[in-house]
Amino acid sequence: MNKKLLSPITRIEGHLSIETRVEGGKIAEARSMGEMYRGFENIMTGRSPIDAARITQRICGVCHEVHGIAAARALKALYNVELPKNGALLIDIILALHMACDHMLHFYHLSVPDYVDFGAILSYNGSHPEYKAIKNWVKAKGPYLFTKRVKGDYIKEPKYALPLIVHYVEALELIGLGSSALATLGGKAPFCHVVFPGGITTEITEDKLAKVSDIADKIYSFVITKYIPDVMSLGKLMPQYLSIGEGYHNLICYGGFRSTGDPVFEPAVMIDDKKLPFNSGLIAEDVASSFYEGGGLTPFSKGETRPSPDKANAYSWIKSPRYNGNPMETGPLSRVYLNLHKDNRLEKRLNDLGHPKERAFSTIGRHLARAVEAAILLEFLQKAISMVNPDEPTINDIDLNAPVTGTGLGLSNAGRGELLHYVEAKNGKVLRYQCVVPSTWNFSPRDSNGRQGPAEKALENTPVAFGDGMIEAGRVVRSYDPCLACSIH
Ligand code: NFE
Ligand code: MG
């Protein structure tokens, strides 16, 4: 038996190791090991429920708006408040803009270095001012920053490598602009502080909306003319990654972006390629392989656990969410694939690459779904902006000191997939707070039935052709955009 450990995995958020057993040049078995403890659910116990939208937002600095919004959605149910039209639109606008920028960050800054040899820029001798500037920048940083890396089949040919390197820099600038638009609506970015159960506190003016719309237009143009074509080029240059990293054909989508009246995503699940209606009551969490006290499948609404670092047979701080007992993949792939009847761009692009839609279950398929989703979200954003009426309220106030008793479920979306927050309160204090997070689904360890988590499954049969750096496994892992800060929370 040849055991190889991929650790630490870089260009992700948080601390993840992947242990693999390699046989005949391929991964025969993989284990996803989340290697830190956070404790945000326990931190919430005994506090005012309202604190959840501020405190849980700090779960992650990458998906910085999503936990605040999911918390506000759970609190909306707990406080039994409806949002005015503007409030619902503006929260969706903040979420859509954040997610589109998050997708660009994931592709260009966290994933492109898996595929492209940035050293290619050093051989550039032409006169293109942007290429020259980047060449000087890479030279000044020394070879280590971008050019020293694990062994692999990187794209070196300047014709293909240079555009991706230039877009890496362009995307950085656009994400900065996106943050300024987020701050315009959210008070600041990251961690907007305006989201409440009944809407948002920002005073909305035509000029603020115009600024956000203008920036979103610039980002959209980049997504259409560069991001999607760049993922397509990767698909053409490395077609094997439309097969590598397949995983289960199980998907989960809670639905989302409903505020315009025409939901962008409708809720649904898919189990073994069969599409079924979504029922939140079928979500439970297993801790058989996780460092927590307890055991068996527990509905998320009862999921109170305590850390147990010495637990026998446990290998991860990530829990194992299951849907009716099934491991489920979530992410842009799950939202876009389960909604192909509403928008079939993902299928068309796969057809352009010469593949049927089922090849979306792959490393490149996940990147392509993410890029297509960025376009879909930015189109939604412009429609939502046109429906905001600055003369109407953005929030319905609630009594923040109300001694609420009851429960609230917030089903929401994040860059990496579907996000659930659940609160149970008595006399204005939190009794139980539970988050079931996208990367928790994707990077879960084996459950009490011995079924692997989605990423563990997808790593099976991944070739190991370039030695211990296991570049192929790194590419599969990053296609999910893992966030360990979130997954463990
Ligand atoms: Ni920390 Fe997060 C997103 C959430 S992933 S990145 O997107 O929720 O699990
Ligand atoms: Mg949890």
Side-chain angles (χ1 to χ4, degrees):
M1 187 145 80
N2 182 3
K3 273 204 176 176
K4 287 180 195 279
L5 190 65
L6 201 53
S7 177
I9 298 194
T10 53
R11 280 180 280 108
I12 64 164
E13 164 57 44
H15 308 289
L16 172 69
S17 290
I18 301 281
E19 188 184 55
T20 62
R21 184 166 55 82
V22 177
E23 268 174 17
K26 288 189 169 181
I27 293 177
E29 200 188 335
R31 282 172 171 220
S32 153
M33 305 188 296
E35 299 187 305
M36 60 189 177
Y37 177 68
R38 306 296 305 291
F40 272 80
E41 292 164 342
N42 303 46
I43 289 170
M44 282 310 303
T45 308
R47 292 178 187 271
S48 164
I50 292 293
D51 290 349
R54 307 290 162 274
I55 291 176
T56 65
Q57 200 170 168
R58 270 70 187 174
I59 286 172
C60 185
V62 175
C63 59
H64 38 83
E65 318 306 335
V66 306
H67 291 287
I69 291 173
R73 286 175 170 166
L75 297 174
K76 166 192 179 294
L78 176 68
Y79 286 84
N80 194 19
V81 58
E82 286 306 317
L83 279 71
K85 183 106 190 131
N86 274 348
L89 288 166
L90 288 159
I91 288 175
D92 271 354
I93 290 167
I94 290 172
L95 190 55
L97 181 58
H98 160 69
M99 284 169 61
C101 291
D102 197 356
H103 289 356
M104 294 202 298
L105 179 119
H106 174 255
F107 182 68
Y108 287 101
H109 309 118
L110 304 182
S111 299
V112 161
D114 269 341
Y115 296 91
V116 174
D117 182 350
F118 278 65
I121 197 82
L122 295 172
S123 64
Y124 181 70
N125 286 317
S127 58
H128 193 298
E130 279 180 339
Y131 291 180
K132 273 169 60 186
I134 294 168
K135 176 181 173 176
N136 291 336
W137 182 54
V138 172
K139 246 186 180 167
K141 293 286 169 200
Y144 193 82
L145 182 62
F146 287 120
T147 55
K148 180 155 183 188
R149 58 232 342 262
V150 299
K151 283 197 198 108
D153 49 347
Y154 296 100
I155 299 165
K156 287 190 165 76
E157 208 184 321
K159 179 167 74 164
Y160 301 115
L162 297 187
L164 284 159
I165 297 170
V166 171
H167 299 164
Y168 177 108
V169 178
E170 263 182 58
L172 271 181
E173 287 162 7
L174 284 168
I175 292 166
L177 267 182
S179 291
S180 87
L182 282 174
T184 301
L185 295 180
K188 68 185 185 65
F191 307 128
C192 71
H193 51 210
V194 302
V195 176
F196 279 81
I200 80 167
T201 56
T202 316
E203 197 176 313
I204 289 303
T205 56
E206 291 288 2
D207 64 320
K208 283 185 185 172
L209 294 175
K211 176 180 172 181
V212 174
S213 173
D214 182 49
I215 289 173
D217 248 353
K218 291 193 174 85
I219 296 173
Y220 181 68
S221 156
F222 179 87
V223 168
I224 297 296
T225 61
K226 293 171 183 172
Y227 182 11
I228 295 175
D230 283 345
V231 181
M232 292 291 284
S233 321
L234 271 193
K236 284 176 201 146
L237 292 166
M238 300 215 172
Q240 66 274 31
Y241 283 95
L242 282 145
S243 303
I244 295 172
E246 180 167 352
Y248 299 113
H249 287 214
N250 293 358
L251 300 173
I252 187 162
C253 169
Y254 300 161
F257 299 96
R258 301 174 174 87
S259 56
T260 58
D262 175 24
V264 174
F265 302 118
E266 290 169 358
V269 297
M270 174 176 276
I271 296 171
D272 294 333
D273 282 310
K274 189 162 181 253
K275 196 171 166 184
L276 298 163
F278 166 69
N279 172 0
S280 64
L282 296 177
I283 299 172
E285 284 191 306
D286 196 306
V287 292
S289 302
S290 317
F291 294 115
Y292 299 94
E293 283 169 17
L297 273 178
T298 310
F300 65 82
S301 55
K302 297 194 174 9
E304 200 173 19
T305 50
R306 306 299 303 180
S308 176
D310 300 318
K311 184 172 156 184
N313 299 322
Y315 63 88
S316 181
W317 286 96
I318 305 172
K319 294 179 184 174
S320 302
R322 295 293 184 259
Y323 181 86
N324 208 13
N326 295 287
M328 306 294 277
E329 172 165 355
T330 189
L333 173 64
S334 72
R335 287 186 289 257
V336 173
Y337 197 88
L338 288 168
N339 284 279
L340 282 173
H341 62 288
K342 300 207 70 161
D343 189 310
N344 68 355
R345 267 176 280 186
L346 174 63
E347 183 171 1
K348 280 200 195 145
R349 294 290 83 80
L350 285 162
N351 295 164
D352 293 343
L353 290 170
H355 297 284
K357 65 174 194 252
E358 290 76 16
R359 288 269 57 83
F361 293 92
S362 65
T363 304
I364 295 285
R366 291 185 195 96
H367 286 294
L368 194 53
R370 200 169 282 116
V372 167
E373 183 177 80
I376 292 172
L377 290 173
L378 291 164
E379 287 159 14
F380 161 84
L381 177 146
Q382 295 296 4
K383 184 175 168 193
I385 285 183
S386 74
M387 292 172 73
V388 173
N389 182 344
D391 298 329
E392 289 178 5
T394 59
I395 187 163
N396 286 332
D397 285 332
I398 56 167
D399 175 3
L400 297 179
N401 295 315
V404 282
T405 294
T407 62
L409 172 61
L411 293 169
S412 194
N413 321 103
R416 287 147 200 79
E418 304 306 70
L419 175 61
L420 177 164
H421 279 216
Y422 171 81
V423 59
E424 195 176 319
K426 194 172 175 194
N427 298 328
K429 297 268 186 253
V430 172
L431 280 182
R432 178 177 285 127
Y433 201 94
Q434 288 292 308
C435 314
V436 183
V437 180
S439 295
T440 318
W441 286 102
N442 291 335
F443 284 85
S444 60
R446 282 157 178 72
D447 57 34
S448 1
N449 293 320
R451 287 194 81 185
Q452 302 134 284
E456 292 183 333
K457 176 75 180 169
L459 279 160
E460 272 182 14
N461 294 319
T462 298
V464 180
F466 298 94
D468 288 353
M470 286 201 284
I471 186 161
E472 305 95 330
R475 287 168 178 162
V476 172
V477 167
R478 286 194 197 84
S479 72
Y480 289 91
D481 193 359
C483 174
L484 275 286
C486 277
S487 63
I488 295 168
H489 54 272

